[in-house]
Amino acid sequence: MDNVDIGLFEHDRNNTIYFYLLNADEQIYMRYGGRDARSADSYLSLDSLALAAAKGLDLHKQYQAGQLAKKPRPKEDSARNYSMLVERTFKSNACVECHLIGDFQNLHREKDGTLDKLVHLFRSPDVRTIGIELDVPKGLVVRDVSGAAKAAGMQAGDRIAKWEGDTVWTFADVQWRYDKVARTAKATRVTVERAGVFVDLTIALPVRWWWTDTRYRQSSIEPRSYFDDRALTAEEKGKLGLPLDGLASYVKYVSSMAYSVAAHDLKVGDIILSVDGKDRDEHADTASLYIILHKAPGDTGTLEVLRDGKKISMPLKTIRMSFRK
Amino acid sequence: MKFALALLLLPFGLFAQAKPADDEINWLDNYPAALREAKATGKPIFLEYRCEP
């Protein structure tokens, strides 16, 4: 990644493979790639790559004919601008692994107070959260639609043509542009092509639309607390007399690392009622998400837990996964 | 899985000509050199970032 403008080639660094189609003037025609927690190749197919390549050639002809408007070049950036990354990799002649760039950008943001966890940790919001299932071999053709997208008028068979007014040709284009939507946004604008007609849609964004399953990028998510949980259902909360909008969660997994580093004393089956006395949050619907959003690595706190019908309190210690960085 | 960068460049005739049996793909691993070649030949660039296991 040396001698590469990572400002121009800016993408979610936890992708396993990622392509750009561009010209000698470094005008990017499109991106190709994108993944989710299901698989590294959820959105990859040779058919859709061929479609993208054919469109790329068409755009290149337009560029050569002077018919393609130039896009402003993004601010230049280099992996060498991140001193902690330089120390970790360049100085020891180690490989500058793709995810390390994202990780160290976040470390620097954390240091200078610009880390926005909703944006920088929860990259690449999942379009399935708003009800869009793509027919992957066909590129941006919608296979199934439900939820917010259906409510906005999207239909199976539509081809997504623009996101927030920007032309998109591939799933990577969509994922990249969708990721740029402010996390405070209440809606996102999508244009679809339907039977040759372009239709503008406004999709209302549900609560936590930006949330994605981060397990496949766990080494990039800080702090670590070594347990996994799920939000209690409304019925479960009702039975326990807990607030329906609270963050009470059921502990479904505890890593042995929790005991090794004395992070906490949680057990599978525990119900976490609050963190540091907070039983609800604007963004978090579980204790683990609350900890990620509100704690820095190394922070301590207190968990209030329901175990075998009794309320107990226990200390919490969060950890930085330093060995990867 | 180890993530590593492989910066490869492909003159874009691959998809247009589609003769994999006859043509060996000439991947480049030097970005400035690929830019120069793209400028000289008028070809677009197909750039790949890859995770190496």
Side-chain angles (χ1 to χ4, degrees), chain A residues 130-160:
Chain A
I130 52 174
I132 301 175
E133 278 282 355
L134 294 173
D135 192 344
V136 172
K138 294 182 180 173
L140 291 181
V141 174
V142 176
R143 191 188 70 203
D144 292 309
V145 62
S146 58
K150 187 173 186 179
M154 188 176 284
Q155 298 177 9
D158 286 352
R159 183 186 69 84
I160 298 172

Side-chain angles (χ1 to χ4, degrees), chain A residues 160-231:
Chain A
I160 298 172
K162 291 184 179 180
W163 204 286
E164 292 293 338
D166 290 337
T167 300
V168 289
W169 298 111
T170 65
F171 175 73
D173 286 347
V174 164
Q175 198 172 44
W176 186 80
R177 186 59 190 86
Y178 188 32
D179 189 42
K180 302 296 175 200
V181 174
R183 298 303 189 254
T184 52
K186 301 297 181 197
T188 190
R189 293 179 298 117
V190 176
T191 302
V192 297
E193 184 182 10
R194 182 181 301 156
V197 177
F198 289 91
V199 181
D200 293 326
L201 307 173
T202 300
I203 301 176
L205 293 169
V207 176
R208 280 179 293 283
W209 63 271
W210 45 264
W211 182 88
T212 57
D213 187 339
T214 56
R215 276 173 293 184
Y216 74 93
R217 59 171 88 218
Q218 58 166 317
S219 68
S220 301
I221 304 296
E222 306 273 22
R224 310 273 290 172
S225 51
Y226 300 109
F227 72 93
D228 196 8
D229 58 355
R230 65 161 177 82

Side-chain angles (χ1 to χ4, degrees), chain A residues 5 12 14 49 53 59 79 123 145 189-190 193 205 218 241 265:
Chain A
D5 180 355
D12 183 345
N14 282 105
L49 179 59
L59 293 171
R123 283 209 70 169
V145 62
R189 293 179 298 117
V190 176
E193 184 182 10
L205 293 169
Q218 58 166 317
D265 188 32

Side-chain angles (χ1 to χ4, degrees), chain A residues 106 116-124 179 181-183 210:
Chain A
N106 282 347
D116 182 338
K117 292 185 173 182
L118 300 188
V119 174
H120 300 124
L121 297 189
F122 290 90
R123 283 209 70 169
S124 304
D179 189 42
V181 174
R183 298 303 189 254
W210 45 264

Side-chain angles (χ1 to χ4, degrees), chain A residues 244-264:
Chain A
L244 293 180
D245 60 347
L247 51 71
S249 57
Y250 175 89
V251 177
K252 57 183 186 178
Y253 170 75
V254 179
S255 163
S256 58
M257 278 295 290
Y259 305 106
S260 301
V261 300
H264 48 71

Side-chain angles (χ1 to χ4, degrees), chain B residues 1-47:
Chain B
M1 178 183 285
K2 181 184 177 187
F3 280 84
L5 174 72
L7 181 64
L8 306 173
L9 300 168
L10 174 68
F12 204 62
L14 170 70
F15 292 99
Q17 292 159 15
K19 288 182 183 175
D22 301 327
D23 299 340
E24 184 132 340
I25 299 172
N26 181 29
W27 290 92
L28 305 175
D29 60 5
N30 182 305
Y31 182 63
L35 282 180
R36 285 195 296 274
E37 183 171 328
K39 200 157 279 206
T41 60
K43 289 180 179 177
I45 297 168
F46 183 76
L47 185 152

